[in-house]
Amino acid sequence: MLDNSSTSSPIGPSSSSEALNSVENSIRRKRRPAGTPDPDAEVVSLSPKTLLESDKYICEICNQGFQRDQNLQMHRRRHKVPWKLVKRENPQVKKRVFVCPEPSCLHHDPCHALGDLVGIKKHFRRKHSNNKQWICEKCGKGYAVQSDYKAHIKTCGTRGHSCDCGRVFSRFQDFPF
């Protein structure tokens, strides 16, 4: 009786499609678990001032802000106005990870660096900034990151306990008796 389970030669895969799949699998990288940045990545440390600065590029039509000119140009396409993209001189992009400038922070260690610029900016504003510029009108809670504020206002007051004074408490423990 023939055994069909071992049809490939000891040298390599028997068909060209199997060879192609093995090459694709070796090229495709798996996503790293949180807290384990790429060891080959460049470690970038930005100053607190840089992390807290607001958008440099503003859309003249809707006043939305962007950190990079490239992002503004892509955004302008939505308004159906002329836009231009400038190609990079060096097409090879080096992977970067960002460390927190606060020495006592877990993310100050390159082993726990964050993988993107937006992530480190949000982290720094949430954890190390006292500037809560977005305040909920219903409950008075302040947020340093606009996306946190927007997520909060979607649910604020929906699961709460109303007081006679008009204030809404999301937790029953905070409700004054």
Side-chain angles (χ1 to χ4, degrees), residues 9-137:
S9 68
I11 298 169
S14 62
S15 70
S16 61
S17 65
E18 287 178 16
L20 185 62
N21 285 338
S22 70
V23 170
E24 284 179 1
N25 288 337
S26 65
I27 292 172
R28 191 181 312 153
R29 293 187 300 182
K30 291 183 179 177
R31 187 174 178 158
R32 295 183 169 277
T36 58
D38 187 350
D40 299 329
E42 173 188 3
V43 177
V44 179
S45 179
L46 301 171
S47 70
K49 182 182 177 223
T50 304
L51 292 172
L52 292 174
E53 73 184 4
S54 59
D55 301 322
K56 296 178 190 175
Y57 303 96
I58 308 296
C59 176
E60 63 277 4
I61 297 169
C62 68
N63 292 326
Q64 185 172 349
F66 300 92
Q67 292 292 321
R68 297 173 57 234
D69 182 49
Q70 296 280 64
N71 295 347
L72 172 61
Q73 297 301 328
M74 292 297 287
H75 167 80
R76 292 184 72 188
R77 292 170 59 185
R78 289 183 173 175
H79 297 300
K80 309 262 191 285
V81 294
W83 56 278
K84 59 177 176 27
L85 283 179
V86 180
K87 289 189 176 182
R88 290 190 174 132
E89 292 185 21
N90 183 5
Q92 185 75 342
V93 178
K94 176 115 171 111
K95 177 79 173 142
R96 300 187 309 169
V97 293
F98 298 88
V99 294
C100 182
E102 186 68 34
S104 62
C105 182
L106 170 72
H107 298 292
H108 184 69
D109 182 0
C111 294
H112 296 283
L114 298 170
D116 65 341
L117 183 60
V118 172
I120 192 67
K121 284 187 168 210
K122 285 184 176 184
H123 159 78
F124 191 79
R125 287 183 181 189
R126 281 180 186 127
K127 302 299 181 186
H128 309 296
S129 171
N130 293 326
N131 183 14
K132 311 280 188 198
Q133 61 187 98
W134 289 278
I135 309 294
C136 179
E137 294 176 1

Side-chain angles (χ1 to χ4, degrees), residues 134 143 145-156:
W134 289 278
Y143 292 90
V145 177
Q146 187 180 23
S147 59
D148 294 346
Y149 167 71
K150 285 182 175 182
H152 168 80
I153 60 173
K154 287 180 182 177
T155 60
C156 183

Side-chain angles (χ1 to χ4, degrees), residues 163 165 169 172-177:
C163 181
C165 69
F169 296 90
F172 189 72
Q173 296 87 354
D174 296 338
F175 190 73
F177 289 102

